[in-house]
Amino acid sequence: MKKLLASLFIVTSVITMSACSSDNSASKESSNSSTKETTDVSSGASEQAYTDPKEMKDSYDLVIVGAGGAGMTAAIEAKDAGLNPVILEKMPVAGGNTSKSSSGMNASETKFQKADGITDSNDAFYEETLKGGGGTNDKEMLRYFVDHSADAIDWLDTNGITLDNLTITGGMSEKRTHRPSDGSAIGGYLVEGLLKNVHEREIPIFVNTDVTDIKKNDGTVNEVTVQVQGEKPKEITGKAIVVTTGGFGASKELIEEYRPDLKGYVTTNQEGSTGDGIKMIEKLGGQAVDMDKIQIHPTVQQDKGVLIGEVVRGEGAILVNNDGERFVNEMDTRDKVSAAITALPDKSAYLIFDQGVRDRAKAIDFYDEKGYVTAGDSIEELAKAINVPEETLATTVNTWNSEVADKNDTQFNRTTAMDNDLSKPKYYAIKIAPGIHYTMGGVKINTNTEVLNADNEPIKGLYAAGEVTGGLHGDNRIGGNSVAEIIIFGRQAGQQAAKFVSEN
């Protein structure tokens, strides 16, 4: 229950947060170390301790820009390698887009899959991700990604973040999407767990601290300019810099520059996802790739831009049009499902599911709490409530249930997420349409997470991980791969930056 409450609290689109100082020994000794402020933010962690700005030093072993999942993971690895890192976050709370993650974390050949009797392989994960990305993925990065996915699950488990409940997302053939034990949304649980590890290691984490420039001195990237809220700009040096600032899904300017056809789409991104890290790295000569590859997620609640997680379909939901008919393989890749919805006359659709799906996908409780879910004691009652033909919707659901029993979708050839039919009252619907969700483009890195210049050479002292980078996902990201990316490459960034610092 604790995990569920944390997840529901964190995913909220507008949350009133209280931020206070870090609970490290230095802050405990100072009566001035505790600050508290209430701020409206688009996403973030629950009430957490952050380091008082007065404790900010001029120099650290490693400066990490961005306190999302990748940044906190990098900091933990760097600290465990013997460094004294610092995390700088421009928003009032840590978490970034990680806080809004819903479905889970993909990984293959894991101990939790084996315990559930699931036979999976890194090769299958590789091939399905490559297919989902249209074959344009950076193959070297993808190979590293899948081969280190099980290790990432183990690392999280070792650090008290257990993802042993399995589901499936579109484009995958096996249940390799790992989520919290109670089936709740992964974002809140993951951020809460990473922050706990950051605090236990007494890693300073400063919020309301905007990095406005990254600098190179004597051939090495080793300095940042920060603007702390209410203070004058300050220079902080580090022996290396790790950039984990996320993508640009909340930047109308960049979206319109690279994809003018997406102007006016709602976004699921938290307001801090404005591409700052990409811009600063480009100024240093870093190479940006795939900037026009922007993912549209098919199931977004339009009023608030809230993502309705793929886990809902992964646990058995179907999509119907305003006539109450299915029109697509719901478990196809996100680009194809989005295109099918956009092709409908009203460019919107309904997710239809039963109590069984709701019981298995705990994030639905949050959607209901926010008023996005319509319910009915019968399919006919639900149809009337959402104004679709009662007889048609009943026929659609009955046909689907028969095809689940036969494990044969004769209409759209769906082959996954067919373990359970839709026969357990109550019945539910959520109205959805596509929205901007993820930016596949970003700065180019190698498997050591070193940022590359236009000649594909590493920029000395500069590392990056997470959505700020590009190339891994190709034309389309598979659901569950972004969380895997931030942990796998966040770990690598922390380890490789620590190695660089120790050798220089």
Side-chain angles (χ1 to χ4, degrees):
M1 187 64 179
K2 180 180 178 183
K3 294 177 187 175
L4 176 59
L5 291 174
S7 298
L8 299 183
F9 191 56
I10 291 169
V11 178
T12 309
S13 58
V14 179
I15 310 174
T16 301
M17 308 302 304
S18 295
C20 56
S21 70
S22 171
D23 57 357
N24 60 31
S25 58
S27 64
K28 289 177 181 176
E29 293 171 2
S30 172
S31 61
N32 295 323
S33 293
S34 181
T35 62
K36 192 169 186 177
E37 62 181 59
T38 301
T39 312
D40 285 337
V41 295
S42 60
S43 70
S46 55
E47 187 170 311
Q48 289 285 348
Y50 299 105
T51 313
D52 192 300
K54 295 175 183 177
E55 297 179 18
M56 188 178 292
K57 299 177 182 178
D58 294 329
S59 181
Y60 296 88
D61 290 337
L62 181 66
V63 176
I64 297 168
V65 186
M72 289 190 284
T73 298
I76 293 165
E77 285 285 20
K79 183 71 173 184
D80 288 352
L83 298 192
N84 289 312
V86 64
I87 308 173
L88 307 176
E89 169 59 48
K90 74 174 182 179
M91 299 300 286
V93 291
N97 268 350
T98 306
S99 295
K100 305 187 84 172
S101 300
S102 179
S103 296
M105 172 178 166
N106 287 343
S108 50
E109 299 185 16
T110 71
K111 62 184 180 183
F112 297 126
Q113 286 180 308
K114 293 170 184 174
D116 277 8
I118 296 169
T119 301
D120 197 5
S121 72
N122 293 344
D123 287 345
F125 188 14
Y126 176 94
E127 292 298 336
E128 289 165 16
T129 300
L130 186 64
K131 180 180 178 181
T136 64
N137 316 60
D138 183 316
K139 295 177 178 60
E140 187 177 357
M141 291 289 292
L142 179 56
R143 188 75 252 178
Y144 183 94
F145 171 77
V146 300
D147 287 346
H148 290 80
S149 62
D151 287 343
I153 291 289
D154 289 343
W155 181 81
L156 287 172
D157 192 35
T158 298
N159 285 289
I161 304 169
T162 300
L163 303 175
D164 57 358
N165 185 313
L166 295 165
T167 188
I168 193 168
T169 58
M172 299 283 97
S173 65
E174 300 290 347
K175 288 186 176 181
R176 61 173 67 106
T177 307
H178 296 64
R179 55 186 177 168
S181 300
D182 62 3
S184 59
I186 190 174
Y189 176 60
L190 181 58
V191 169
E192 183 183 67
L194 290 173
L195 271 170
K196 182 175 183 289
N197 278 273
V198 165
H199 292 324
E200 286 174 349
R201 289 164 174 79
E202 298 185 348
I203 299 170
I205 178 169
F206 296 95
V207 296
N208 293 314
T209 303
D210 190 10
V211 174
T212 59
D213 196 17
I214 303 173
K215 300 176 181 178
K216 182 188 295 185
N217 296 295
D218 298 323
T220 300
V221 177
N222 58 7
E223 185 178 6
V224 299
T225 302
V226 300
Q227 177 68 63
V228 180
Q229 196 173 71
E231 303 290 337
K232 294 181 180 180
K234 176 183 176 69
E235 307 300 320
I236 297 177
T237 60
K239 297 173 183 177
I241 309 294
V242 176
V243 181
T244 55
T245 50
F248 58 95
S251 171
K252 292 182 180 180
E253 175 189 351
L254 289 177
I255 294 292
E256 291 180 21
E257 176 182 348
Y258 290 105
R259 287 288 301 277
D261 58 306
L262 298 181
K263 182 178 180 179
Y265 272 66
V266 299
T267 182
T268 66
N269 288 254
Q270 58 97 16
E271 64 189 55
S273 298
T274 52
D276 302 353
I278 299 171
K279 296 174 187 176
M280 290 187 288
I281 288 174
E282 284 187 303
K283 283 178 60 179
L284 289 166
Q287 179 184 170
V289 296
D290 296 347
M291 292 294 285
D292 62 337
K293 296 179 180 179
I294 298 171
Q295 182 170 78
I296 305 304
H297 195 287
T299 56
V300 177
Q301 196 280 336
Q302 297 292 294
D303 293 340
K304 298 292 185 181
V306 174
L307 173 73
I308 306 301
E310 206 153 334
V311 65
V312 180
R313 285 172 285 144
E315 290 300 334
I318 59 174
L319 283 165
V320 303
N321 58 25
N322 286 342
D323 293 324
E325 300 170 329
R326 288 181 68 218
F327 57 92
V328 70
N329 171 1
E330 295 87 352
M331 296 305 293
D332 211 333
T333 52
R334 290 174 173 179
D335 53 343
K336 293 178 181 177
V337 179
S338 293
I341 296 171
T342 302
L344 296 172
D346 295 315
K347 301 184 186 302
S348 63
Y350 287 98
L351 279 163
I352 303 294
F353 53 96
D354 69 348
Q355 187 64 44
V357 172
R358 178 163 184 166
D359 291 342
R360 294 187 297 274
K362 296 299 183 182
I364 295 171
D365 292 340
F366 167 73
Y367 307 144
D368 193 14
E369 180 184 311
K370 302 305 293 183
Y372 307 148
V373 181
T374 301
D377 289 328
S378 66
I379 290 294
E380 291 78 9
E381 184 177 312
L382 178 65
K384 187 178 296 184
I386 61 175
N387 197 30
V388 303
E390 298 172 38
E391 185 176 341
T392 304
L393 184 60
T395 298
T396 295
V397 172
N398 289 335
T399 299
W400 172 248
N401 287 344
S402 296
E403 296 191 328
V404 168
D406 295 337
K407 294 292 184 287
N408 181 25
D409 177 9
T410 60
Q411 299 179 82
F412 301 102
N413 198 33
R414 174 168 162 176
T415 59
T416 59
M418 297 179 71
D419 295 335
N420 301 279
D421 65 12
L422 303 177
S423 60
K424 183 179 180 181
K426 292 183 173 182
Y427 297 93
Y428 303 94
I430 302 176
K431 188 170 185 177
I432 54 82
I436 294 168
H437 180 52
Y438 191 86
T439 50
M440 276 81 72
V443 299
K444 188 173 183 179
I445 61 172
N446 58 23
T447 56
N448 287 330
T449 67
E450 297 169 299
V451 176
L452 305 180
N453 63 20
D455 296 321
N456 290 319
E457 298 170 337
I459 298 175
K460 189 176 181 181
L462 184 59
Y463 299 82
E467 195 176 349
V468 71
T469 67
L472 174 66
H473 304 292
D475 291 339
N476 174 70
R477 180 176 67 77
I478 296 292
N481 277 358
S482 62
V483 175
E485 177 187 18
I486 62 176
I487 303 301
I488 293 165
F489 289 107
R491 293 188 68 202
Q492 179 72 324
Q495 292 169 4
Q496 293 299 320
K499 180 181 178 183
F500 173 83
V501 169
S502 68
E503 294 175 350
N504 290 274

